[in-house]
Amino acid sequence: MSNGDSKTNENVHTDFKERMTYGEYLNLDRLLSSQNRLSEHHDEMLFIVIHQVSELWMKLILHELRAAIDLIREGEIQEALKMLSRVSKTQTQIIHAWDVLSTLTPAEYIQFRDDLGQASGFQSYQYRMVEFALGYKTPHVLKIYEKDPELHQELKNAYEAPGIYDAAIERLVEAGFKINPDLINRDYTTIYQSDATVEKAWEQVYKDVDKYWDLYQLAEKLVDIEDWFQQWRFRHMKTVERIIGHKTGTGGSSGVGYLKKVLDHRFFPELWDIRTTL
């Protein structure tokens, strides 16, 4: 090593007998020992890593969404906007993960698909909680998690809680807009349906941006999140179609057929409709 290199690195810590290391802080021993293949096939490692990485990103998305919902309900919209921006950026990372998984060919996947049994991404409880936070509530999925009472209760709580759009509508009410009273403290376990009073309120927000700047920014952040979520769903659908065609999913879903169907759902319908009426 040159003298220059020695001077550059002379303050680098190398004695960690009494100090926490990078690996210890991140629990890398546990994290990097969790990729346990059920087959001997080389490409199963790719399959496991992609799904684990996606779950980590979803953990961050949930962390940010939950905090943002609480802040919006408290009227702290500006603080929530930073968190929603982070959600959108994180969504782009999950979308790019499909590009990596799409390098798995049908001939490679069939070598270990049977080893998965009935395990399927359809059973991802974090994905369901992201859907719940965005207002898409489907009661039949709760049954999947009855095996774990603690997890089932956590999901049930999320299922019954108001989503981020409910929080946004509360802000519209607080701003003085006349909103359908049936939407206030509604049954949050039902999927939100478009409402004329909400559409009219958002239309006014977009017509008077200066007056309703916080609400306008919030609306655009919500559109970003839905846009990226639908792009994630589309890339998921096309990756599945590319690898298994129209076979039934390992979890029993209709696979590509199911994924195409959910693409039609809109989380925040009025925010899309006003783009036509403005």
Side-chain angles (χ1 to χ4, degrees), residues 18-68:
E18 305 296 332
R19 296 172 179 161
M20 178 178 64
T21 66
Y22 170 83
E24 289 170 336
Y25 173 66
L26 295 177
N27 286 313
L28 290 183
D29 55 341
R30 293 169 57 192
L31 184 66
L32 299 179
S33 62
S34 299
Q35 295 71 46
N36 303 310
R37 289 181 292 166
L38 297 179
S39 74
E40 296 299 320
H41 197 275
H42 173 85
D43 295 305
E44 189 184 353
M45 181 62 73
L46 163 68
F47 192 81
I48 293 172
V49 168
I50 287 295
H51 287 84
Q52 288 184 340
V53 167
S54 295
E55 290 292 337
L56 284 172
W57 282 130
M58 279 191 276
K59 182 170 185 175
L60 179 59
I61 287 173
L62 282 169
H63 178 69
E64 302 296 341
L65 276 178
R66 287 165 173 164

Side-chain angles (χ1 to χ4, degrees), residues 132 137-139 142 154-161 188-190:
F132 291 170
K137 307 293 183 73
T138 46
L142 291 177
E154 184 180 353
L155 278 151
K156 189 171 182 291
N157 292 342
Y159 177 73
E160 295 172 349
Y188 298 123
T189 66
T190 62

Side-chain angles (χ1 to χ4, degrees), residues 140-177:
H140 64 278
V141 302
L142 291 177
K143 187 170 180 60
I144 296 171
Y145 312 100
E146 290 178 348
K147 179 180 180 179
D148 184 337
E150 186 175 339
L151 175 59
H152 183 264
Q153 185 59 53
E154 184 180 353
L155 278 151
K156 189 171 182 291
N157 292 342
Y159 177 73
E160 295 172 349
I164 194 165
Y165 201 48
D166 296 304
I169 291 173
E170 288 178 7
R171 291 300 96 207
L172 291 175
V173 173
E174 187 67 24
F177 291 105

Side-chain angles (χ1 to χ4, degrees), residues 38 47 109 113-124 249-252:
L38 297 179
F47 192 81
Y109 183 49
R113 187 178 191 240
D114 288 345
D115 293 297
L116 304 179
Q118 280 73 55
S120 166
F122 184 83
Q123 299 149 14
S124 168
T250 51

